[in-house]
Structure formats: C-alpha cells, structure tokens
Amino acid sequence: MNTKLLVALVVVIIAVAAAALLLLQQPQQASTQTTQTPSKGNIYVIYDIGGRGDLSFNDMAYLGASKAAKDFGLGLKEVQSKTQDDYVPNLRAAARSGDAALVVAVGFLMTDAVKQVSQEYPNAKFAIIDGYIPDRPNVLSVLYKENEGSALVGALAALTAYHFNCTKVGIVLGMEIPVLWKFEIGYAYGVRWAERYLSQKFGKNVKFDVLYIYTGSFNDPAKGKQAAEVMLAQGVCVIYQAAGATGLGVFEAVAEAGKKAGRNMGPPFAIGVDADQDYLKPGFILASMMKRVDVGVYTAAKMAVEGNFKGGVLELGLKEGGVSVSTLSDLRQFIEIGVSAGAVRREDADKIVATVSDMRSKIPSWIWEAVDQLKQDIIAGREKVPLPTAQDQVVQLRKELGLGVAG
C-alpha cells in the first residue's frame, strides 16, 4: 500500500475513534425536557396524565419549578406520565438519578406511588401536590384550602347571576376524588352565603339552584363542553370549572352560547381554576379561582435547597396566599403561559387586557366588595367553609347545601 495513503487512512481512523470517544463521554439525551444540570442538582417534576399545556394545574406547577430553578441555581427536569402505570417508574427513575434536589409529584392520583417510592428511596426528598402523606420524613404534602377560594367564586357567581336576573349556577368537575369535593362544597357554600348577603343588603329572598357534573376526566375538553351545554340548556348562567384541561371545553361552550345570543361578553359566564384563565375567552370568563400550585412547588424547593426540608403537611389557604380570586394585575403574567402554549398570540395581549377590564367594569362594584368581605370574614375566622374529607360527609353536605346533579 502507498505510504501516503496508509498515513491518511490512519489519520481518518484516529479522527473517527476520537469522535466516537467524545460522543460516548457526552451525556445521553433524555426523553424528558431538561435544563442544564448545575452542581446543586435538579428539580424533577413528574406530571399527572393531564400534563403540561392544560393552562391550569400542571402549568402552575411548572411555573413554580422554573422560578425555583432560576432563583436557586437548580436544573429542571420535566417528566410526563402518559398513564397511571407510569407514576412509579417515573418517580423511581428520578429518585435513583443521584442528582435530584427534589422530586415533585403533581396531583392526588400519585399518592400511592409516592408512598411506595419514598419508602424505597428514604434519602430522596419528595413533595406531592394534593396528596396526603403526613408520616414520612422525606415527603412534604402540599395541600390547599380550595374550599375557601371556591367559596369566594361561588359568592361571585351567585351575585353576578342575580345582577343579570338569573338564579341558576353550576360547577363542572373532573374525576370525583377527595380534593375536588373541596371545590364543589366550597362553591355551594359561597352561593348560599350570597343568598344571606342579598337578604341583609337588599331585603331580597333569593334562592339559587346549584348544579354539578363530574366528567370523570381532566384532559377531555369535549366532555367539559358537553357538560356545560347541558347546564346552559337548563338555564345556568355562570359555570365554574374545576376539571383541568377538560374545563377548556366549558369555556368554549359558554363563549359560543354568548356569541350566539349576539353578545361579545357574558352572560353566560365561566369561572376559571388554578391559574388566571381569564384571557382564554376574554369577556366570558368572569374570574378564576387561583390555586397557587406554583407557590407550593417553589416553597418545597426552597426548603430543600436551604437544608430545612422536612416531611409533613404544608397547607395553603386564603391567609397564606395559597388560593385567591384573579385580579387584573394577575392577568398579564398568566397571558404569558397562554402565549407559551400557543393558545394566545402575543400581539393580542393588550386587546385581551382591555376586554377583560371592560367586562369587569360592567359588574357592579358592590359585588366585588361583597366577595372581598367574605374573604376577610374567612381569614378572620368569622366564616367557616365546610371541609369534606369523606364520602358520607360530602353526601350530607350536598343535602344541606341543596346541590343537584345537572341533566
């Protein structure tokens, strides 16, 4: 063989070998969405089957995790669960990674999986949103007083309905699980509070029908739309959605009904949940009951980074800023979530803010003041919103509060 050719061949072989060695030394591409891993480790966010892009519960978890990653110099790894069978392997992979500063399980449905994996990996730190695991030193259960926030939007729904000469309000929910009982019962309590308020303020004896539907899903907008259409056909004029991405169909149904009636804003109205969803159908979403999942995730990450993480329960209500009714000042921040998800065009942001502001200005100020009064009474302990924890309690409270199944 020609000497020059032989030298050239050797050079090529060495170059290929070096490239292969370099490739082997590089970290393998994960199937999850990942930011670069700093020395402090990663926050792993294990999403429920609803997943990112719900413009609600899961996106709020991402908001808190991404802020914590930025503030505390952590990496962020997001893992989507396609089915409930994915919970344990996803949690297990994060726990045994060796670089997890915190593993966050997003949703009540992962409770049993977290119980199992946290026992297998006692040195890993876990936080679960909505799951109740009070007795593990390495698990922080982040719970919310959704009943308090739901009472506020229940009062808002009823008083707004009264203003528009309507006496029927409703709530569309996802799967019937304990955490959603708090939304349902809190909402009905707020409606009944509004009846007392109207009696005291105006001497009016008004009785509202409160209808509810469980769709059995958190990720099926078609079911949400169908449920809302059933309610609208029965004369319901304000519908609260507590169904994750399924609730996006509620917004569709309400906006279509309003536009069919020749209106560019409600009634009918919808009420959003978890995030500020007012921008999704501007003019037709009265407000949102914001469940600050982001605050819970951020707080858990802060505890892990600062070395004071401990198991137990972190409960966030009105007093702690864990739940609230959306305001105009919240709106722009949450429009960005919609832009990122492709649900909103950035150039439409100013128009959306103007539309929502105009819609709110048409709701009498005494209604907003009444809702704030209820908020202060709850914080001060003058009003006690029921907190159901068992099926028999829910059944009894449905009777006492006069809830009825729509359809």
Side-chain angles (χ1 to χ4, degrees), residues 165-341:
N165 299 311
C166 171
T167 57
K168 293 184 178 181
V169 298
I171 177 170
V172 172
L173 305 112
M175 299 173 68
E176 186 165 350
I177 54 179
V179 65
L180 287 196
W181 293 337
K182 294 191 282 184
F183 289 86
E184 176 196 345
I185 298 303
Y187 183 70
Y189 182 88
V191 173
R192 301 308 175 208
W193 179 91
E195 291 174 348
R196 301 198 305 270
Y197 182 87
L198 289 170
S199 177
Q200 294 165 5
K201 185 175 179 67
F202 300 114
K204 300 285 187 180
N205 184 19
V206 183
K207 184 69 174 177
F208 293 95
D209 292 337
V210 185
L211 305 180
Y212 72 95
I213 295 178
Y214 279 91
T215 62
S217 173
F218 290 112
N219 58 359
D220 191 340
K223 284 187 177 180
K225 185 175 184 180
Q226 182 181 28
E229 287 173 343
V230 168
M231 288 188 175
L232 292 167
Q234 291 183 253
V236 170
C237 57
V238 184
I239 304 174
Y240 178 28
Q241 78 93 351
T246 297
L248 299 178
V250 173
F251 300 152
E252 288 285 343
V254 167
E256 284 181 8
K259 290 174 182 176
K260 187 176 180 180
R263 303 189 182 102
N264 59 7
M265 61 182 62
F269 289 104
I271 294 176
V273 76
D274 296 336
D276 183 335
Q277 298 184 313
D278 306 5
Y279 62 88
L280 292 174
K281 293 293 179 183
F284 291 100
I285 301 179
L286 185 57
S288 299
M289 198 292 279
M290 295 177 63
K291 176 177 173 178
R292 301 305 301 250
V293 175
D294 57 328
V295 173
V297 172
Y298 185 91
T299 301
K302 187 173 188 287
M303 292 168 65
V305 169
E306 293 181 350
N308 56 8
F309 183 93
K310 61 180 181 179
V313 177
L314 174 66
E315 192 168 23
L316 304 173
L318 287 173
K319 185 176 181 179
E320 298 80 16
V323 294
S324 63
V325 177
S326 60
T327 66
L328 289 174
S329 62
D330 295 318
L331 188 57
R332 281 196 179 274
Q333 177 187 5
F334 287 90
I335 284 177
E336 289 301 313
I337 293 178
V339 171
S340 299

Side-chain angles (χ1 to χ4, degrees), residues 4-238:
K4 291 184 177 179
L5 180 60
L6 180 60
V7 170
L9 182 59
V10 170
V11 169
V12 170
I13 292 172
I14 292 172
V16 171
L21 181 60
L22 180 62
L23 184 62
L24 288 171
Q25 290 174 337
Q26 290 177 343
Q28 297 304 299
Q29 182 68 32
S31 60
T32 57
Q33 297 181 18
T34 310
T35 62
Q36 187 175 357
T37 306
S39 59
K40 292 183 180 180
N42 288 305
I43 305 174
Y44 282 80
V45 182
I46 315 300
Y47 295 113
D48 200 347
I49 50 180
R52 280 286 305 280
D54 63 354
L55 306 176
S56 182
F57 186 80
N58 288 282
D59 285 345
M60 289 292 280
Y62 166 77
L63 190 68
S66 60
K67 185 177 188 301
K70 180 179 179 181
D71 288 357
F72 306 132
L74 299 169
L76 172 59
K77 292 194 175 184
E78 303 174 69
V79 184
Q80 176 60 51
S81 303
K82 294 182 180 178
T83 72
Q84 294 186 21
D85 291 337
D86 294 334
Y87 296 161
V88 167
N90 285 344
L91 289 164
R92 192 177 279 151
R96 70 183 176 208
S97 67
D99 63 9
L102 179 69
V103 180
V104 180
V106 185
F108 167 85
L109 294 176
M110 275 190 264
T111 302
D112 288 341
V114 172
K115 285 180 181 178
Q116 177 181 335
V117 179
S118 64
Q119 193 166 23
E120 294 173 358
Y121 297 90
N123 294 324
K125 299 179 179 68
F126 297 84
I128 180 167
I129 306 298
D130 286 346
Y132 184 64
I133 308 174
D135 54 354
R136 293 283 170 81
N138 62 332
V139 180
L140 179 66
S141 299
V142 183
L143 303 178
Y144 292 83
K145 296 179 181 177
E146 298 94 344
N147 54 323
E148 294 183 351
S150 295
L152 298 188
V153 295
L156 176 62
L159 296 175
T160 301
Y162 168 79
H163 175 67
F164 287 101
N165 299 311
C166 171
T167 57
K168 293 184 178 181
V169 298
I171 177 170
V172 172
L173 305 112
M175 299 173 68
E176 186 165 350
I177 54 179
V179 65
L180 287 196
W181 293 337
K182 294 191 282 184
F183 289 86
E184 176 196 345
I185 298 303
Y187 183 70
Y189 182 88
V191 173
R192 301 308 175 208
W193 179 91
E195 291 174 348
R196 301 198 305 270
Y197 182 87
L198 289 170
S199 177
Q200 294 165 5
K201 185 175 179 67
F202 300 114
K204 300 285 187 180
N205 184 19
V206 183
K207 184 69 174 177
F208 293 95
D209 292 337
V210 185
L211 305 180
Y212 72 95
I213 295 178
Y214 279 91
T215 62
S217 173
F218 290 112
N219 58 359
D220 191 340
K223 284 187 177 180
K225 185 175 184 180
Q226 182 181 28
E229 287 173 343
V230 168
M231 288 188 175
L232 292 167
Q234 291 183 253
V236 170
C237 57
V238 184

